[in-house]
Amino acid sequence: MKIAMIGSGYVGLVSGACLADFGHEVTCVDKSAARIAALERGEMPIYEPGLADIVASNARAGRLSFTLDLAGAVAAADVVFIAVGTPSRRGDGHADLSYVHGAAREIAAAVDGFTVVVTKSTVPVGTGDEVERTIRETNPLADVAVVSNPEFLREGAAIADFKRPDRIVIGLEDERAREPMAEVYRPLFLNQSPLLFTSRRTSELIKYAANAFLATKITFINEIADLCEKVGANVQEVARGMGLDNRIGTKFLNAGPGFGGSCFPKDTVALAKTAQDHGAPLRLVETTVAVNEQRKRAMARKVFQALGGEVRGRTIAILGLTFKPNTDDMREAPSLAIIQALKDGGARVRAYDPEGMEQARPLLEDVTFGAGPYDIAEGADALVIVTEWDAFRALDFARLRRLMTTPVLIDLRNVYRREEIARHGFRYASVGRPGEDG
Ligand code: NAD
């Protein structure tokens, strides 16, 4: 099957490479010349474990190519995926659909013969109808079926998620699209991943409802963590005790500095806006958004407390900047708000992240970037774990103690236990656990 993937970012590139790996002939399109040139040289524009190998092997096999020429790729394709960004629109928080409609117009002008156009970008309910209208207005002769096929992959585990998804959701209004879509995902269907056919609007809403539910689950346990701190309970044990109930499940119950990333923050806000517009406000989701927003900066208060209430003139070393490990994505990372609050308090900030520093640099002024945990710890008054990269899970505390001016660890991901840290003479604060020094 011939596939054109419009947008070669975190979703488009992973999806395109994995679909090529299934045996399809995939052309990944982007409007960034630098991105396409890098991909043609075999360089990955994003950090995603395993991606470089799968891109290289499929490019070598002639199944995966990269181009700036959207029209050529679309004309040759049976199925065209739209995987462009849908960021928050400035001002009102609605999803900005300008990239989606821009792509739809370009696709409309280029389609040749019956073509299935699939929106993989996360788009508000009803967008499929609008995309169809945009295509028909641009080219009344275009013979297309517009499908919704939201993507559920997680950055950091994107390839495994794409190849072994919990489910594939396909929303369609035109029955002609059913068979080509089943063909696209046939290898997964053979692996028994459930293929869920729904109406287009239902499919669009499934994606937002799933993300909002997960964001709410995280926010719930974060608030329980705050209560644990007040009453002397342990949030990790509460989460385990809750999660072992099959109806609840253990995932997304790790208390921490609040959710970030390229999806949950914008998708929760956009869903709340859609619901308000339709007169069916989602108050739980609105509250989740508000609680999470406050939480990020509130985490800086833990650092203030651990240093006796004042950070002015103190040096704080931040371990981990990306919104989660195994990605270089800095979008809405909690580290940004935490660092800003520390700087507002007069602290000097140093930071290290295994993969995120290139993306972080333009976002963080007056922050000194170091070469590793021990480099940034030298002369620091406190070390703060913001992102739980594996590389931070077995730190040499004896060495850190020698390097740091004051041995203070604020562990916002509950990576360590108080007893083991205290043994090395460190003051220790974490999230939602009793007996803290913070
Ligand atoms: P991204 O910003 O990494 O990539 C989007 C790419 O599209 C960019 O490279 C941009 O240059 C390109 N582009 C924009 N308009 C174009 C056009 N007209 N022609 C060709 N290329 C064009 O975005 P992303 O993180 O991959 O997200 C894409 C969509 O997938 C969003 O709607 C997002 O919500 C959704 N999504 C993202 C994730 C994730 O983990 N990142 C997971 C599930 C769903």
Side-chain angles (χ1 to χ4, degrees), residues 6-12 29-32 35 70 83-86 99 103 106 120-122 151 153 155 207 262-263 266-267 331:
I6 314 304
S8 304
Y10 287 89
V11 165
V29 182
D30 207 283
K31 61 179 182 185
S32 156
R35 181 158 283 215
L70 183 145
V84 300
T86 49
Y99 300 103
E106 289 183 71
K120 191 165 260 315
S121 299
T122 302
E151 183 49 56
L153 63 76
E155 287 174 19
K207 173 65 190 176
S262 64
C263 293
K266 75 173 175 61
D267 293 348
R331 288 177 279 188

Side-chain angles (χ1 to χ4, degrees), residues 5-14 28-33 35-36 45-46 48 67-68 70 82-87 95-104 106-107 119-123 150-156 158 207-208 211 261-264 266-267 323-324 327 329 331 359:
M5 185 66 65
I6 314 304
S8 304
Y10 287 89
V11 165
L13 187 53
V14 169
C28 284
V29 182
D30 207 283
K31 61 179 182 185
S32 156
R35 181 158 283 215
I36 293 299
I46 55 168
E48 178 62 43
T67 185
L68 289 165
L70 183 145
I82 300 177
V84 300
T86 49
D96 176 353
L97 295 175
S98 56
Y99 300 103
V100 171
H101 289 300
E106 289 183 71
I107 292 166
T119 311
K120 191 165 260 315
S121 299
T122 302
V123 293
E151 183 49 56
F152 298 96
L153 63 76
R154 295 162 300 168
E155 287 174 19
K207 173 65 190 176
Y208 278 98
N211 271 3
S262 64
C263 293
F264 288 177
K266 75 173 175 61
D267 293 348
F323 80 97
K324 68 174 177 180
T327 183
D329 201 336
R331 288 177 279 188
Q359 290 205 20

Side-chain angles (χ1 to χ4, degrees), residues 21 33 54 72 92 96 125 132 148 161 174 187 236 251 258 274 281 284 303 309 312 321 349 377 393 396 398 436:
D21 216 39
I54 193 172
D92 66 5
D96 176 353
V125 60
E132 195 168 322
S148 159
D161 283 351
D174 183 337
Q236 282 178 309
K251 293 182 180 159
T274 300
L284 278 179
V303 183
R312 185 160 301 282
L321 295 168
V349 178
R393 287 182 183 276
D396 179 346
E436 308 274 295

